[in-house]
Amino acid sequence: MNRRQLLATLGTGVGGLAGCLTGTPGESTVTPVGEDTPDEPTAGRTPTPADGEGVSDIIVRKAVRYESFLGSGGVLAADGRQYVVASVGADSSQRESEYVFEASGQTWEAGLPTTAGGNTRSVAGRDWPVVGFEVPSPLPASDPQLRSDDGDGAWALGADDTTGLAEPGPSYELDELTAPESVSQGETMTVELTATNVSDTDGRFLAAVYWPTERIADDDESHIVDRTVPAGDTVTASLDINTASTADESGPVTLSVEGHIAANRDVQVEDIKGNA
C-alpha cells in the first residue's frame, strides 16, 4: 500500500496526534540564511543531570527541514534567523516550554514557527519529541547553552555549533519559477525553479514546493529542494507533480514555494472526473 492509499484509509482519524511546532521566535534583522551541512544527528552533549535525561543531539543550522505525518513536510528558512534544535528524551518529564536558550547574556524561549502539516514528526533529522529555538543570525557567543527553566539542567553547545552560530549564512534570489498555465487532473505537471546564491557564503539551499491535494485526507503535497550551492552559483530543480488528487472541481489552484525563496503561481485544473 502506497502512502496516498494509506492516507485515504486513515482519513482524519490521526488529527488528534500531538506534534505541531509553534512558538514565539527571537528578533533579528540580519540577511537571509542557509547551511551546507546535512541535518544528521550528532553526538549529544553531556547534561549536568544524570546521563540519558533531558537534551541530546544539539544542532545549529541556518535553515532546517521538517517532516509531518500527513503529507506536508517543509522548510524553516527566515531572513536573519537560524535554528537551534535538540532531541528531548521521550521519558523526560519536561515539556518544550520548559527549556530556554542562552547566549551572550540573552535568553530565548523554546518554540519554532508554525509548521505545515497536522503533526510534525521530525525536525532537522531529529525525531519527535524535539525542542527548538529560532534565534538571530549571526549570533556571536562564547557560552551558548540550552537549560531547563527550573535550573536543574544545562547543556552546552559544542565548538562547531558555537562557531556556526556566529557565522553568516548565504542569501538566495529567485531567478525563475515555471509551471503550466493549465493541467488536466491526473496529468503529471512539471515545475522548474532557478535561484542564485547572491552572497559571498557557500551554503545549503532549501525550499518546499506545495501543491494542493483537496481530494484526499492529507495536507498539501510538499516537494523539498535541498542543494549545496557555492557562493555566486545557481541551483536549478525540476519537479514532476502528480495532479490526480488536486481538486474536486475545475478552477485555478495555487502552487506555492516557501523557504529560502517564496513565490506563487496559479494553475488552471481542468477535466475533473469522479473521485480520486
Side-chain angles (χ1 to χ4, degrees), residues 23 30 33 35 42-43 46 56 92 100 112 132 148 152 171 175 178 194 198 201 216 230 247 252 260 267 271:
V30 199
V33 291
E35 178 58 58
T42 56
T46 303
S56 64
S92 174
V100 296
L112 293 173
S148 56
D152 285 345
S171 176
D175 298 319
T178 61
T194 304
V198 295
T201 304
I216 194 167
H260 276 127
V267 178
D271 301 325

Side-chain angles (χ1 to χ4, degrees), residues 2-273:
N2 64 33
R3 191 184 70 83
R4 286 224 167 273
Q5 290 173 322
L6 173 63
L7 290 169
T9 302
L10 290 175
T12 57
V14 296
L17 295 177
C20 215
L21 279 175
T22 59
T24 303
E27 297 182 354
S28 180
T29 54
V30 199
T31 54
V33 291
E35 178 58 58
D36 60 356
T37 309
D39 291 334
E40 297 177 357
T42 56
R45 313 305 172 197
T46 303
T48 53
D51 288 343
E53 297 180 2
V55 171
S56 64
D57 292 332
I58 302 172
I59 196 171
V60 175
R61 292 291 182 265
K62 304 300 183 181
V64 294
R65 292 179 60 168
Y66 63 85
E67 296 182 1
S68 298
F69 186 77
L70 291 180
S72 292
V75 171
L76 299 178
D79 289 359
R81 310 289 190 185
Q82 59 188 328
Y83 305 90
V84 181
V85 180
S87 297
V88 180
D91 58 349
S92 174
S93 61
Q94 291 198 284
R95 296 170 297 180
E96 178 190 26
S97 61
E98 294 173 336
Y99 293 95
V100 296
F101 177 69
E102 293 182 339
S104 299
Q106 301 179 74
T107 300
W108 290 266
E109 295 182 355
L112 293 173
T114 301
T115 56
N119 304 280
T120 303
R121 59 187 176 92
S122 70
V123 181
R126 280 118 184 91
D127 291 337
W128 193 267
V130 301
V131 60
F133 305 83
E134 185 181 68
V135 301
S137 173
L139 181 59
S142 58
D143 56 350
Q145 64 175 359
L146 275 67
R147 67 169 176 81
S148 56
D149 200 29
D150 60 12
D152 285 345
W155 297 265
L157 271 64
D160 289 345
D161 290 312
T162 299
T163 299
L165 196 69
E167 293 177 342
S171 176
Y172 298 91
E173 289 185 358
L174 175 64
D175 298 319
E176 188 173 18
L177 173 64
T178 61
E181 293 184 0
S182 65
V183 64
S184 294
Q185 179 126 305
E187 178 184 357
T188 298
M189 179 178 71
T190 299
V191 174
E192 295 185 348
L193 67 82
T194 304
T196 299
N197 182 349
V198 295
S199 71
D200 295 326
T201 304
D202 298 344
R204 181 186 183 189
F205 173 82
L206 280 172
V209 179
Y210 291 101
W211 179 250
T213 53
E214 297 295 334
R215 302 177 70 181
I216 194 167
D218 191 3
D219 299 298
D220 292 348
E221 189 77 13
S222 65
H223 302 261
I224 307 299
V225 180
D226 187 343
R227 303 280 195 277
T228 297
V229 186
D233 276 14
T234 296
V235 56
T236 299
S238 179
L239 305 171
D240 290 330
I241 297 176
N242 187 337
T243 66
S245 301
T246 299
D248 288 318
E249 59 185 27
S250 297
V253 300
T254 300
L255 172 85
S256 61
V257 182
E258 298 178 8
H260 276 127
I261 57 174
N264 295 299
R265 295 290 184 273
D266 287 338
V267 178
Q268 182 77 16
V269 178
E270 304 172 342
D271 301 325
I272 307 297
K273 298 174 183 178

